[in-house]
Every structure is written in C-alpha cells, then in structure tokens.
Amino acid sequence: MKKIESFTVDHLRLKLGVYVSRVDHIGAETVTTFDLRMKLPNKERLDNGAIHTLEHLIATYVRNDEEFASRILYFGPMGCLTGMYLLVHGAYTSEEILPLIQRAFAFAAAYEGNIPGVSAIECGNYELHNLEGAKREAAAYLEVLNHAGPENLNYPV
C-alpha cells in the first residue's frame, strides 16, 4: 500500500504550529487540511477531556466565524492526541488561516459557561470533558500562534 502523506512528515523535527497538511482537488473544488500541532510528537499529548472540550469549543467557534463559517468542513482531534485537524473549503496557506486559529483559541482560552453540545442527546461521550484543561491548552497554543515564525507554519524538510 502507498504510504499516506501525513506519515511522510518527520515528526522528530516537527514544532508546534499550523501546517498545511494537504490540499485536495475534488472536481472543481479545493479542500485544505491544516495540522494544528499543539504538542511535540512522541513527547507530549493532550488530555482526553481537554481535547474533547477543545473540539466542542473550537468547532462551534469556527463554524460561527463571520469570515469562515461557510467554508469550514471539519474540525477535530488527531488520534495521536498531539493536535487537531481543520478542513477548509478553498486553497489557503498557514499564514492566511492563522488569524482564524488565533481568534478561535483566544475564544477557547477565555471561555466561561456551559460547554456547547454537552448532553447525552448531543454528544457520544458527554461526561468526558475538562474545561479548565482545555482553557490551559488553548492559552498555551495561542502563545505559540502569537509568536509563530516560518518554522511554525511550514513542515520541516
């Protein structure tokens, strides 16, 4: 079997940041997948409750963002628990999507109140949430985003 693109990234050299993971062309449409790397691979990982809460908060935020709401296709966690994936309709660079990610993580870092979509009716594991952990992780990632340089926006070669 052919190796998928995400397995060709050198995870030993990967830094925290926002990366274009892939650009797919489906007919006349383009979809950009972003790798939002929040933890160093093979060294750290997100807590299950915190990543689940971040998924609820950020997905809700980006799907309501004035500029991008109609272009958001998916937001969710990586299986390795080191970050999230964001799929956007259209061709975008890391630099172009960075302001949206900064707004979303600032929203999550400051969030107060009930977590969106947390009931047995709305969520398949509604008891697995950690708002305080999500806020800490969002604030830490926002700090990375606010000081991002080329090494945080382009995969290592």
Side-chain angles (χ1 to χ4, degrees), residues 25-82:
H25 302 283
I26 305 159
E29 305 300 325
T30 302
V31 175
T32 305
T33 300
F34 290 96
D35 168 340
L36 309 184
R37 194 62 61 157
M38 300 174 65
K39 296 291 184 182
L40 292 174
N42 303 304
K43 294 183 180 177
E44 316 172 282
R45 68 174 177 246
L46 293 157
D47 165 77
N48 282 323
I51 200 170
H52 190 199
T53 300
L54 281 171
E55 176 190 16
H56 280 239
L57 292 173
I58 303 292
T60 299
Y61 182 88
V62 296
R63 288 184 176 127
N64 284 281
D65 183 78
E66 281 187 28
E67 184 181 354
F68 280 93
S70 66
R71 294 178 254 173
I72 301 301
L73 301 175
Y74 173 79
F75 179 84
M78 293 178 180
C80 62
L81 303 177
T82 62

Side-chain angles (χ1 to χ4, degrees), residues 64-134:
N64 284 281
D65 183 78
E66 281 187 28
E67 184 181 354
F68 280 93
S70 66
R71 294 178 254 173
I72 301 301
L73 301 175
Y74 173 79
F75 179 84
M78 293 178 180
C80 62
L81 303 177
T82 62
M84 302 285 202
Y85 286 116
L86 172 67
L87 279 71
V88 181
H89 178 242
Y92 294 95
T93 65
S94 296
E95 292 83 1
E96 291 170 325
I97 207 70
L98 184 60
L100 170 66
I101 304 305
Q102 289 170 310
R103 291 191 303 269
F105 278 84
F107 166 80
Y111 190 80
E112 297 292 334
N114 295 326
I115 301 164
V118 178
S119 73
I121 293 170
E122 300 165 304
C123 179
N125 198 356
Y126 77 98
E127 293 178 326
L128 179 67
H129 282 278
N130 178 351
L131 180 58
E132 291 309 311

